[in-house]
């Protein structure tokens, strides 16, 4: 299948800083793609280049089989939902939603009644029925989010760009809007490119996840693969579920400042001698009293308990090594008893070498 | 008055609560509101003594009996009748309205595009400030110099005529340039334009750039965006600017005196002349009429946009 959108070596510089440094990827029609990146990774710049608000310094964007460099934003047929929603503050809900159909330059052959019907349907679809004549300051944050979505979706763009669409909502609403976004996508069959800084959001939403790091693509993969096999320490750090140690491979061991870890069975062991990184997932670490030392076929280290954070279904505990590095351990409450670690007490943290990842 | 009402309401609430929870201590009395009223006391006293009272006095004096040499507090409508019976004075009222509408139109015509450039197309906030400051620089010279400087520009042997003749565009100097409606409008537009540019540029600069990008993304071209988004969102600035310009132009007398050769008589000029010849009652009539006109204009302008939404 021909991709709907292809980016080819996109570069964008601001002075000496490269916001985008050779970004290439493609998006299949109908896909839900999540673009994950920390703040400052170039996510928003990338969206602005695709939408046509900014021109790339190098590379080209191919949309629907055509290079679109010379096509202005308002003729591209790409919808964007802004992070701050960017609703028209002087217009009602209905007028906001109908804006695109009434004012667009192309395809103005729709008659007024057809437009009204379409706007009505879209307002109903996003669950804003009854609020048509409300002003923007008379509706809640979640409702504004829906207006922003409806306003873009009603113009039937082939591709919808969502710039951290849930960032301005509170946690409760964010979870609900995730489901709604997903179901809107599935019902309308539109291609979504969803930009987010939250690993949880990216993993939950995207069929495919593109990880952007400092203006470069760090990894493109399915959600599950990204979580289990991050391609680089940067991706692992961004996923926020790995403890990372810097060091080097020496023989059959990984040597880091916190200790030596055996590599037998570890996935993708790096080449000996080269500086690399070692990663172990938060929920793969067992916490034991110090008097039960780490056996030779295990990897592990000694650390002091600092604090823990309860989040309902799991508990995240923080340990500090002698050198001050913080190790995070996650206990899923459905699998283990809630831990009861003593403050400032030493513990042995152990894990199976085969659960670890070693990056070259 | 207000304080009394607040207090009685407060007493009612207190009683209700006390009745419901008899064992609970009554809530502490809220003295904050009453103390806050003292904050506006100096302003109220000042405005009362030096604005409201004099205005009432002017209305009163306009009904006094004016003779050639003195004015007596004997009530009569003679000054009012004279004003409305005189072509000169009604003409001055007409001229005032005509010049005001013209200057309002020219300041808008010159000011809006400038404000659009500064407020919307200049992205850099520092440059925006610099440009707006440039608009204010003419105010560093005195009002009189700014007005009188137009004479050597517009006069029969002034700069404009000389240049046009030098290039052979005209053979005779254009006399209508100075001492005419035109010169008064030119002078006033130059002086008051900045009061139009400022508020409009301020409103335009407040528009979230994402909103304009969103409109573009939804398929609208520049003129559509201007008509449906930019213009409506800048209207409060236009109204505030129009109020500034209107209030100042309607009360003007110096520009018309200096640039019209006394041919253009505004209500302001009438007041100056009447006060000069000690015709206080008559000046008061013109003053009251001018105040009513200005009040009506401001009220009318405020109906266009609900400024409460913008603050």
């Amino acid at each position: 299948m021909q991709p709907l959108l292809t980016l080819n070596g996109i570069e964008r510089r601001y002075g000496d800083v490269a916001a985008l440094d050779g970004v290439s990827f493609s998006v299949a029609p109908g896909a839900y793609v999540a673009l994950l990146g920390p703040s400052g990774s170039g996510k928003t710049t990338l969206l602005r280049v695709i939408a046509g608000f900014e021109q790339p310094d190098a590379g080209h964007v191919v949309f629907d089989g055509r290079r679109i460099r010379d096509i202005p934003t308002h003729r591209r047929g790409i919808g964007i939902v802004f992070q701050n929603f960017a609703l028209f503050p002087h217009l009602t809900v209905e007028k906001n939603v109908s804006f695109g159909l009434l004012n667009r330059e192309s395809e103005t052959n729709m008659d007024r009644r057809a437009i009204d019907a379409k706007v009505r349907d879209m307002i109903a679809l996003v669950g804003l029925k009854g609020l048509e004549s409300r002003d923007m300051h008379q509706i809640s944050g979640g409702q504004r989010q829906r207006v922003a979505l409806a306003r873009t979706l009603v113009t039937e763009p082939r591709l919808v760009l969502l710039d951290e669409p849930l960032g301005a909502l509170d946690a409760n609403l964010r979870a609900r809007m995730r489901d709604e976004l997903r179901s809107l996508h599935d019902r309308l069959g539109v291609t979504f490119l969803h930009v987010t800084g939250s690993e949880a959001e990216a993993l939950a939403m995207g069929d495919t996840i593109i990880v952007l790091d400092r203006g470069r693509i760090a990894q493109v993969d399915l959600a599950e693969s990204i979580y289990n096999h991050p391609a680089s320490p940067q991706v692992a750090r961004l996923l926020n579920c790995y403890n990372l140690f810097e060091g080097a491979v020496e023989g059959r061991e990984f040597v880091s400042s916190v200790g030596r870890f055996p590599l037998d069975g570890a996935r993708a062991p790096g080449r000996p001698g080269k500086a690399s990184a070692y990663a172990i997932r938060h929920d793969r670490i067992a916490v034991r009293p110090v008097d039960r030392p780490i056996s030779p076929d295990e990897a592990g280290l000694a650390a002091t308990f600092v604090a823990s954070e309860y989040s309902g279904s799991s508990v995240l505990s923080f340990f500090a090594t002698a050198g001050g590095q913080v190790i995070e351990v996650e206990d899923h409450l459905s699998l283990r008893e809630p831990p009861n670690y003593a403050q400032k007490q030493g513990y042995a943290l152990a894990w199976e070498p085969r659960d670890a990842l070693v990056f070259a | 008055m207000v304080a009394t009402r607040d207090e009685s309401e407060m007493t009612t609430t207190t009683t209700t609560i006390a009745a419901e929870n008899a064992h609970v201590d009554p809530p502490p009395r809220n003295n904050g509101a009453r103390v806050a009223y003292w904050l506006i006391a100096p302003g109220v006293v000042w405005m009362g003594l030096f604005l409201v009272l004099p205005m009432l006095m002017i209305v009163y004096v306009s009904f006094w009996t004016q003779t050639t040499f003195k004015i007596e507090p004997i009530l009569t409508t003679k000054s009012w009748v004279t004003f409305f019976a005189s072509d000169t004075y009604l003409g001055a009222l007409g001229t005032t309205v005509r010049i005001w509408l013209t200057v309002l139109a020219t300041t808008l015509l010159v000011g809006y595009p400038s404000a659009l450039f500064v407020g919307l197309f200049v992205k850099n906030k520092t440059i925006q400030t610099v440009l707006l400051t440039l608009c204010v620089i003419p105010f560093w010279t005195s009002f009189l110099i700014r007005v009188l400087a137009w004479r050597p520009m517009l006069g029969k042997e002034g700069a404009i005529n000389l240049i046009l003749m030098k290039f052979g565009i005209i053979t005779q100097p254009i006399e209508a340039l100075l001492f005419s409606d035109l010169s008064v409008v030119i002078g006033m537009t130059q002086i008051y334009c900045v009061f139009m540019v400022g508020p409009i540029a301020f409103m335009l600069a407040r528009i979230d750039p994402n909103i304009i990008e969103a409109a573009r993304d939804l398929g609208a071209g520049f003129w559509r965006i201007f008509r449906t988004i930019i213009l409506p969102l800048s209207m409060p600035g236009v109204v505030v600017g129009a109020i500034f310009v209107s209030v100042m132009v309607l009360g003007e007398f110096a520009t018309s005196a200096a640039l019209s050769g006394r041919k253009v008589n505004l209500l302001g000029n009438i007041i100056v002349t009447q006060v000069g010849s000690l015709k206080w009652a008559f000046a008061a009539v013109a003053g009251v009429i001018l105040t009513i006109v200005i009040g009506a204009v401001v009220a009318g302008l405020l109906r266009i946009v609900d400024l409460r939404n913008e603050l």
Side-chain angles (χ1 to χ4, degrees):
Chain A
M1 196 161 35
Q2 195 197 1
L4 179 69
L5 174 79
T6 305
L7 269 66
N8 228 322
I10 299 292
E11 283 180 27
R12 181 79 179 97
R13 292 174 186 286
Y14 299 106
D16 287 341
V17 187
L20 297 173
D21 193 4
V23 172
S24 305
F25 64 84
S26 55
V27 175
Y32 198 125
V33 176
L35 187 71
L36 172 65
S39 67
S41 61
K43 291 172 297 180
T44 300
T45 309
L46 189 59
L47 281 200
R48 294 178 62 81
V49 166
I50 298 172
F53 299 131
E54 284 177 36
Q55 290 291 356
D57 297 321
H60 53 262
V61 182
V62 179
F63 178 64
D64 207 11
R66 285 184 303 167
R67 287 196 185 191
I68 53 172
R69 185 181 179 94
D70 297 324
I71 303 175
T73 300
H74 63 283
R75 294 179 178 277
R76 287 194 178 187
I78 296 175
I80 184 163
V81 177
F82 286 91
Q83 187 170 11
N84 63 357
F85 310 147
L87 299 172
F88 307 129
H90 58 304
L91 299 179
T92 60
V93 169
E94 190 192 2
K95 294 255 168 66
N96 261 281
V97 176
S98 63
F99 183 90
L101 295 179
L102 291 174
N103 294 298
R104 63 181 167 187
E105 262 182 19
S106 48
E107 302 168 59
T108 38
N109 51 4
M110 260 181 109
D111 69 38
R112 190 61 214 236
R113 279 176 48 208
I115 289 176
D116 285 347
K118 228 173 145 186
V119 168
R120 222 175 14 250
D121 289 349
M122 185 50 72
I123 288 176
L125 184 66
V126 297
L128 287 174
K129 222 171 175 154
L131 303 175
E132 288 87 346
S133 54
R134 291 278 188 91
D135 279 334
M136 289 308 110
H137 60 267
Q138 293 174 316
I139 56 175
S140 68
Q143 289 164 340
R144 279 188 205 134
Q145 165 75 82
R146 285 160 216 260
V147 175
L149 277 170
R151 185 179 70 173
T152 299
L153 293 175
V154 81
T155 61
E156 295 182 349
R158 304 276 312 278
L159 171 67
V160 178
L161 309 173
L162 303 142
D163 188 3
E164 306 207 28
L166 310 180
L169 307 178
D170 60 59
N172 205 347
L173 203 53
R174 211 178 304 152
R176 213 171 69 213
M177 284 309 294
R178 268 188 208 168
D179 297 342
E180 290 197 24
L181 268 180
R182 223 22 256 212
S183 80
L184 270 175
H185 168 265
D186 297 345
R187 251 187 293 178
L188 298 171
V190 190
T191 313
F192 275 28
L193 180 59
H194 178 136
V195 161
T196 176
S198 145
E199 73 288 349
E201 197 172 302
L203 293 168
M205 306 294 293
D207 304 324
T208 309
I209 294 179
I210 298 171
V211 183
L212 197 64
D213 183 55
R214 280 168 290 171
R216 293 164 178 273
I217 300 286
Q219 193 170 0
V220 181
D221 219 326
L222 301 176
E224 210 181 84
S225 317
I226 294 237
Y227 193 77
N228 290 321
H229 308 281
S232 66
Q234 287 79 17
V235 177
R237 184 168 294 123
L238 193 56
L239 288 171
N240 210 11
C241 60
Y242 284 92
N243 292 300
L244 283 162
F245 306 102
E246 278 170 21
V249 176
E250 274 177 25
R252 300 300 303 150
E253 282 183 322
F254 182 87
V255 182
S256 76
S257 59
V258 292
R260 307 170 80 91
F261 307 130
L263 286 178
D264 295 312
R267 284 174 291 165
R271 265 164 292 159
K274 244 186 117 190
S276 64
Y278 182 98
I280 179 72
R281 251 165 71 171
H282 295 165
D283 57 353
R284 293 277 193 254
I285 299 176
V287 181
R288 295 199 302 244
V290 235
D291 53 3
R292 279 179 53 203
I294 293 142
S295 65
D297 58 338
E298 280 179 326
L301 48 84
T304 318
F305 176 67
V306 179
S308 61
E309 205 177 87
Y310 178 73
S311 74
S313 60
S314 63
V315 175
L316 195 60
S317 306
F318 301 91
F319 293 83
T321 63
Q325 185 175 356
V326 175
I327 315 288
E328 294 175 44
V329 178
E330 189 181 6
D331 290 295
H332 295 285
L333 297 185
S334 55
L335 304 176
R336 304 183 195 172
E337 283 293 296
N340 189 17
Y341 307 128
Q343 202 83 30
K344 290 184 181 161
Q345 181 84 51
Y347 287 93
L349 308 183
W351 59 87
E352 302 274 340
R354 64 185 154 82
D355 285 333
L357 290 171
V358 180
F359 300 102
Chain B
M1 182 74 182
V2 179
T4 324
R5 204 193 58 204
D6 271 359
E7 202 165 37
S8 71
E9 271 172 16
M10 211 151 57
T11 323
T12 327
T13 335
T14 317
T15 329
T16 327
I17 294 168
E20 280 170 5
N21 320 307
H23 60 283
V24 177
D25 289 333
R29 291 179 68 89
N30 176 14
N31 288 322
R34 257 186 307 164
V35 173
Y37 283 115
W38 285 105
L39 293 174
I40 56 165
V44 167
V45 170
W46 189 271
M47 285 311 212
L49 279 179
F50 302 123
L51 185 75
V52 178
L53 206 64
M55 278 175 85
L56 294 175
M57 195 63 198
I58 285 172
V59 175
Y60 182 41
V61 169
S62 75
F63 289 100
W64 284 10
T65 305
Q66 176 85 57
T67 56
T68 317
F69 299 111
K70 59 179 183 178
I71 183 165
E72 285 172 314
I74 302 163
L75 295 187
T76 169
T77 55
K78 207 167 142 262
S79 302
W80 285 89
V81 173
T82 316
F83 185 94
F84 285 105
S86 151
D87 284 345
T88 318
Y89 301 137
L90 285 182
L93 181 58
T95 311
T96 308
V97 172
R98 193 179 69 235
I99 295 279
W100 159 61
L101 285 173
T102 317
V103 173
L104 199 58
T106 53
T107 48
L108 199 58
L109 216 63
V110 177
Y112 198 96
S114 316
L116 200 60
F117 177 77
V118 175
L120 213 58
F121 288 92
V122 178
K123 304 278 183 221
N124 187 318
K125 290 278 168 204
T126 316
I127 299 177
Q128 260 182 13
T129 316
V130 168
L131 287 175
L132 283 177
T133 312
L134 280 180
C135 293
V136 185
I137 283 181
F139 284 79
W140 295 355
T141 56
S142 94
F143 181 88
L144 210 58
I145 290 172
R146 259 177 295 140
V147 173
L148 291 175
W150 280 109
R151 286 202 190 175
M153 281 294 284
L154 300 172
K156 197 171 159 188
E157 286 167 22
I160 291 178
N161 273 325
L162 279 183
I163 290 168
L164 288 179
M165 277 168 51
K166 199 109 184 166
F167 283 102
I169 297 166
I170 50 170
T171 48
Q172 288 289 315
I174 307 169
E175 294 197 21
L177 277 184
L178 188 58
F179 301 138
S180 62
D181 272 21
L182 181 67
S183 55
V184 175
V185 169
I186 291 175
M188 285 191 181
T189 305
Q190 191 248 335
I191 293 167
Y192 297 118
C193 203
V194 63
F195 295 101
M196 192 61 103
V197 175
I200 298 176
F202 175 75
M203 282 313 290
L204 287 170
R206 271 188 14 169
I207 299 178
D208 173 7
N210 281 350
I211 286 178
I212 292 164
E213 285 176 346
R216 260 167 75 194
D217 186 70
L218 291 168
F222 177 78
W223 288 108
R224 266 306 170 102
I225 296 175
F226 178 75
R227 197 165 60 78
T228 53
I229 309 289
I230 298 170
L231 190 60
L233 287 178
S234 68
M235 271 321 272
V238 173
V239 167
V240 170
I243 289 174
F244 283 163
V245 172
S246 300
V247 168
M248 286 183 282
V249 169
L250 286 168
E252 252 277 25
F253 63 93
T255 310
S256 51
L259 291 181
S260 79
R262 305 203 171 238
K263 274 187 269 179
V264 177
N265 273 313
L266 305 178
L267 275 181
N269 299 98
I270 300 282
I271 296 174
V272 172
T273 323
Q274 298 299 330
V275 169
S277 52
L278 301 179
K279 297 265 180 7
W280 290 102
F282 212 78
V285 171
V288 171
I289 288 172
L290 190 54
T291 309
I292 290 170
V293 170
I294 292 176
V297 166
V298 171
L301 284 170
L302 283 176
R303 290 185 77 96
I304 299 178
V305 167
D306 190 356
L307 286 181
R308 272 173 302 178
N309 288 346
E310 309 303 328
L311 300 173

